[in-house]
Amino acid sequence: MTAGALSYLLALLAYLLLAILLVTAWRGRLTGLLAVVAVVASLPWAAVGVVAGMGVSLSDGLFGSVELARNGGWFLFLTAILVAEYDRASSRFWNVAAWSVIALGGLLALFIPLALPSIGLAASDRVDVVLFAGILEAVFGLLLVEQVFRNRLPARRWEIKHLCLGLGAVFVYDLFFYSDGLLMQHLDEHAWEARGLVNALIVPLIAVSAARNPAWSLDVHVSRSVVFHSATLSGAGLYLMAMAAAGYWIRLFGGAWSAVLQIVFLFSAGVLLLLLLFSGQLRARARVWVSRHFFSFKYDYREEWLRFTEALSQGGMNLPRAVVGALGEIVDSPTGMLWARHEGGDFELLERNGLSETRISTMRGEDSLVRFLERSGWIVEIDEWRRSSEVYENVEMPDWLRDSSAFWLLVPLVNREELCGFVVLGRPRVPRSINWEDRALLKTAGRQAASHVARYLSDRALMRARQFEAFNQLSAYVAHDLKNLLAQQSLILSNAERHKQNPAFVEDVLQTIRTSVDRMNRLMAQLRTGVRGGELSQTDLEALIRETIDRHADRAPIPRVEILAGDLLVNTDKEQLRTIVGHILQNAREATGPDGSVVVRVIEEAHGVTIEIEDDGVGMSDEFIRDRLFRPFDSTKGLTGMGIGAFEAREMVRRLGGELAVESKPGRGTLFRVYLPRRDIVGRQAACVPKPSETAV
């Protein structure tokens, strides 16, 4: 087979494959029909080229007919794309222009050459007319390509960019081919042979544009894996060809060291190719590129946006749960949890929907995972991280996230380039994989959800600030009353010292009053200055707990102590720790009947000490713990309670660098866990603990 026949055979096969794809995917749209017509019209042109390349003699009229049919098909297709951007009058002009050029081309390429012999003109004149017709069609084709690209909206030029480049290159080649033939009075044989291969090379460009335009009705149903590996092999082949050419150049001009340099260069190129092929990030980016450029979108983004917006704005559902549900609905995940950044910069578990309880409820802002999400903003597929963590820069996962198979995706919530939280989604109802489009949609939806979460956190902080503002106003009145009470107690103390009838009784009264005065003085100082707590110091934990229990031994049930530790020295604020234990003990005893049980355990751990306070009282529901337990000024005790005990205890624990967790079941009792770091652990966290002068009530 000659070079010309092989060249046009490749063009015939390429156009035939493209025609099959377009015909099978056509859904009745006019633009799609014209695309099919243009591609099908190129098949006879390529077939005639194959026959001519094999040395078979064909008539000039046949060559002119198939040439005109091919060009006319592309003219009509380009005109249909062009008039879509114009009004009716302009559309009529371009339609008339296209048909006029087709008619003029037929006149020049078919009718006149056939009529010239009858009027006695030479064969060279017939060739000139045919070549002039080819030049005219090439120029008009370039004009159409230029108009299509220029009149396309800039934001949509990516849809037809490859088509314009491909057809523009073909028409430029035809212009050169026919102009050279007209100048030299004969067509160049090598240029004609290469013409088939040139037309075959633009078929992938046309296919890319067809895939980007749903109106042309081309859905590529080729396996993503096949396309990806084909693209990888093609890229590797081109790379090796380029390296071989470079090696040949080194061998040719390298002098005495040419052979050695060529071997070293080719070896280095091979090693570099292997590194590129085995790069996890490069493979991931290649898959995204293939999916974006060769496959249709699988989401109706308008419907997704409307559904997501409606889900976030529904009434009757708290926002954290709505965010988890709306993000999970995108990928059919029914479970999830939301972590949000609180005022201290760390992250707390704000919502847990359908997932088992984690061992922790807070995450440090300096954790490896948090820093990675802040830096990259990526969607993390946990299974993919387990398979190849280098894709995610070898980020370290928390134990609870790494060890559980229930978690699937991690979606960051980024608001104004700042990470305000993240959502952990559970497994979908039906096992599925995610691609670049899922990640892009989740990332965009996460940004929209982040703005709602940020506003939710701001509203909550504002409400809390207003509540504390009201509390501070109340404190001013309380301070005034306490001042009067202090004056009365001081007067009683001074009179009692002059009237001692019963020394033992009076001494006990004096001691009680002194203690009362000292405590009221401290309370007055705190209310006046807004300072809560004191300096950190080594504290005997067992002695402090027993002292606190003695203060709460006035009625049943009397708390019982279980010490499961050795060295119980903790570097902490003694007064705040006494207040924490006292708040929890008071709540436990009030929730437990006289015949109930309250147990205080002290457990030594590797890096700290855990204080457990457990009762068998009425217990609490998960909803109460999530929505009300730590909400300030929300009390279940009526007028006798202010609702700040649990909230104050949790905030104090956090200021001490620890953590407070709660487990409870209605009717079965409650377990509070207070974890405190000790010794060198506290020393390393000292920079994060606010100074007493900076800690407000």
Side-chain angles (χ1 to χ4, degrees):
M1 180 177 290
T2 63
L6 180 60
S7 174
Y8 282 90
L9 179 60
L10 292 175
L12 177 63
L13 295 176
Y15 279 109
L16 180 61
L17 177 60
L18 181 59
I20 292 173
L21 290 173
L22 288 173
V23 169
T24 55
W26 182 55
R27 298 187 181 92
R29 299 184 181 96
L30 178 60
T31 309
L33 175 62
L34 293 176
V36 172
V37 169
V39 174
V40 171
S42 300
L43 296 177
W45 172 85
V48 169
V50 173
V51 175
M54 298 176 65
V56 179
S57 179
L58 300 173
S59 65
D60 294 339
L62 182 59
F63 279 108
S65 299
V66 296
E67 187 83 16
L68 181 63
R70 186 200 69 148
N71 290 336
W74 288 119
F75 292 165
L76 295 178
F77 176 55
L78 289 172
T79 302
I81 299 176
L82 177 61
V83 298
E85 306 292 335
Y86 280 111
D87 54 24
R88 180 173 299 180
S90 300
S91 300
R92 187 182 302 113
F93 166 78
W94 283 107
N95 283 317
V96 170
W99 283 108
S100 299
V101 170
I102 294 173
L104 182 59
L107 179 67
L108 295 175
L110 299 176
F111 180 75
I112 292 181
L114 294 175
L116 285 178
S118 63
I119 59 177
L121 293 179
S124 61
D125 295 328
R126 296 199 300 270
V127 172
D128 290 344
V129 173
V130 173
L131 295 178
F132 181 76
I135 293 174
L136 174 66
E137 293 172 13
V139 170
F140 185 71
L142 285 173
L143 176 64
L144 281 177
V145 169
E146 186 266 341
Q147 288 296 317
V148 166
F149 187 79
R150 174 176 293 182
N151 289 279
R152 196 73 163 187
L153 293 175
R156 297 184 57 197
R157 284 178 179 171
W158 67 276
E159 298 174 355
I160 48 95
K161 175 177 63 177
H162 294 83
L163 174 73
C164 293
L165 287 174
L167 291 181
V170 166
F171 287 130
V172 167
Y173 188 90
D174 287 353
L175 181 61
F176 160 77
F177 177 67
Y178 286 114
S179 299
D180 180 74
L182 184 62
L183 182 64
M184 300 299 178
Q185 290 299 303
H186 72 278
L187 296 175
D188 184 85
E189 180 180 358
H190 298 297
W192 181 85
E193 290 176 344
R195 196 171 177 222
L197 189 57
V198 166
N199 280 264
L201 290 175
I202 71 163
V203 170
L205 300 179
I206 299 173
V208 169
S209 290
R212 291 181 174 183
N213 289 270
W216 303 2
S217 305
L218 176 60
D219 296 322
V220 180
H221 297 288
V222 184
S223 166
R224 282 173 164 81
S225 178
V226 170
V227 174
F228 170 70
H229 288 98
S230 299
T232 303
L233 291 175
S234 300
L238 292 174
Y239 173 83
L240 290 176
M241 290 175 62
M243 294 302 100
Y248 175 78
W249 184 85
I250 293 174
R251 182 69 175 267
L252 189 62
F253 299 101
W257 289 84
S258 59
V260 176
L261 291 176
Q262 183 187 35
I263 294 173
V264 173
F265 175 78
L266 293 178
F267 175 79
S268 303
V271 172
L272 178 60
L273 177 61
L274 291 176
L275 289 175
L276 294 176
L277 291 178
F278 284 95
S279 170
Q281 289 195 23
L282 181 63
R283 291 199 306 272
R285 293 179 185 274
R287 289 191 186 95
V288 171
W289 185 88
V290 168
S291 297
R292 283 180 174 175
H293 292 83
F294 290 94
F295 294 90
S296 302
F297 297 129
K298 69 177 184 180
Y299 289 105
D300 184 338
Y301 289 99
R302 177 180 177 275
E303 292 297 328
E304 291 293 334
W305 178 73
L306 291 175
R307 182 199 59 76
F308 189 78
T309 303
E310 183 177 357
L312 293 183
S313 58
Q314 281 184 356
M317 179 183 292
N318 67 72
L319 182 70
R321 174 157 295 192
V323 168
V324 174
L327 287 173
E329 187 66 23
I330 294 177
V331 289
D332 200 29
S333 172
T335 59
M337 57 175 59
L338 170 63
W339 293 77
R341 187 191 296 269
H342 58 66
E343 292 87 344
D346 295 334
F347 289 77
E348 63 178 334
L349 181 58
L350 204 60
E351 175 63 34
R352 179 171 49 84
N353 181 21
L355 291 175
S356 59
E357 187 172 357
T358 60
R359 294 192 299 270
I360 64 171
S361 59
T362 60
M363 286 184 62
R364 293 291 184 185
E366 62 267 17
D367 283 358
S368 174
L369 177 60
V370 172
R371 292 199 303 269
F372 172 77
L373 294 176
E374 287 178 329
R375 183 172 62 255
S376 66
W378 286 4
I379 306 294
V380 178
E381 186 179 2
I382 299 174
D383 290 341
E384 184 181 34
W385 174 85
R386 291 191 179 101
R387 293 191 302 268
S388 52
S389 61
E390 69 274 6
V391 175
Y392 300 100
E393 301 178 6
N394 294 310
V395 62
E396 295 182 8
M397 290 286 181
D399 294 342
W400 61 270
L401 195 58
R402 182 184 63 237
D403 298 338
S404 175
S405 61
F407 305 121
W408 178 42
L409 293 178
L410 201 154
V411 183
L413 305 181
V414 180
N415 181 50
R416 296 185 178 180
E417 307 308 321
E418 181 179 349
L419 184 71
C420 68
F422 57 89
V423 172
V424 182
L425 295 178
R427 299 283 175 184
R429 296 179 178 89
V430 178
R432 57 174 290 179
S433 59
I434 64 171
N435 60 11
W436 70 269
E437 194 174 356
D438 299 303
R439 294 176 184 273
L441 181 57
L442 284 173
K443 185 176 181 179
T444 303
R447 284 183 174 271
Q448 183 177 351
S451 62
H452 289 266
V453 172
R455 187 178 65 182
Y456 172 83
L457 296 175
S458 298
D459 291 344
R460 192 174 67 165
L462 178 60
M463 184 179 299
R464 186 180 300 168
R466 289 176 176 174
Q467 290 172 333
F468 274 109
E469 181 181 0
F471 178 71
N472 288 335
Q473 292 177 353
L474 176 64
S475 300
Y477 300 114
V478 173
H480 181 270
D481 294 339
L482 287 176
K483 183 179 180 181
N484 295 334
L485 180 60
L486 181 62
Q488 294 174 4
Q489 295 288 337
S490 299
L491 181 61
I492 293 174
L493 180 62
S494 61
N495 292 333
E497 290 179 351
R498 295 194 300 268
H499 303 282
K500 295 180 180 180
Q501 286 82 18
N502 187 339
F505 172 78
V506 173
E507 185 64 28
D508 184 67
V509 170
L510 291 176
Q511 182 60 36
T512 302
I513 293 177
R514 287 194 185 95
T515 303
S516 175
V517 170
D518 291 339
R519 295 193 63 184
M520 284 190 291
N521 276 326
R522 287 197 298 269
L523 181 59
M524 281 292 299
Q526 292 173 2
L527 291 173
R528 188 169 51 248
T529 62
V531 175
R532 190 70 167 170
E535 297 289 341
L536 301 181
S537 61
Q538 291 289 330
T539 302
D540 187 334
L541 187 57
E542 181 179 359
L544 183 143
I545 289 177
R546 293 189 182 279
E547 175 188 348
T548 306
I549 289 177
D550 290 339
R551 293 184 179 181
H552 293 79
D554 55 335
R555 65 175 180 83
I558 299 176
R560 179 163 47 89
V561 182
E562 295 180 3
I563 304 298
L564 306 177
D567 184 8
L568 298 176
L569 291 179
V570 180
N571 190 24
T572 187
D573 185 330
K574 184 176 182 179
E575 192 63 29
Q576 287 199 30
L577 183 56
R578 182 184 289 113
T579 302
I580 293 168
V581 176
H583 277 319
I584 300 175
L585 273 177
Q586 182 68 21
N587 288 339
R589 295 174 69 232
E590 290 176 352
T592 307
D595 298 329
S597 171
V598 177
V599 180
V600 182
R601 301 185 189 91
V602 181
I603 304 172
E604 184 178 19
E605 297 184 359
H607 300 294
V609 175
T610 297
I611 304 171
E612 293 185 351
I613 301 177
E614 184 177 15
D615 66 75
D616 57 359
V618 295
M620 297 173 287
S621 66
D622 292 341
E623 291 75 16
F624 182 88
I625 295 174
R626 182 183 65 243
D627 298 331
R628 298 186 60 187
L629 178 61
F630 296 110
R631 181 184 296 175
F633 310 106
D634 186 355
S635 176
T636 59
K637 304 173 186 176
L639 298 177
T640 62
M642 295 187 62
I644 62 173
F647 172 79
E648 185 179 32
R650 187 185 67 173
E651 295 304 306
M652 284 183 175
V653 171
R654 287 178 175 176
R655 286 197 294 267
L656 295 176
E659 187 173 322
L660 175 63
V662 184
E663 296 179 10
S664 185
K665 294 293 182 183
R668 297 184 182 179
T670 303
L671 172 63
F672 279 84
R673 285 194 181 95
V674 178
Y675 171 78
L676 295 173
R678 50 190 294 196
R679 293 180 177 167
D680 56 328
I681 303 300
V682 173
R684 288 199 297 269
Q685 294 178 348
C688 302
V689 178
K691 297 179 181 179
S693 60
E694 300 172 351
T695 307
V697 175

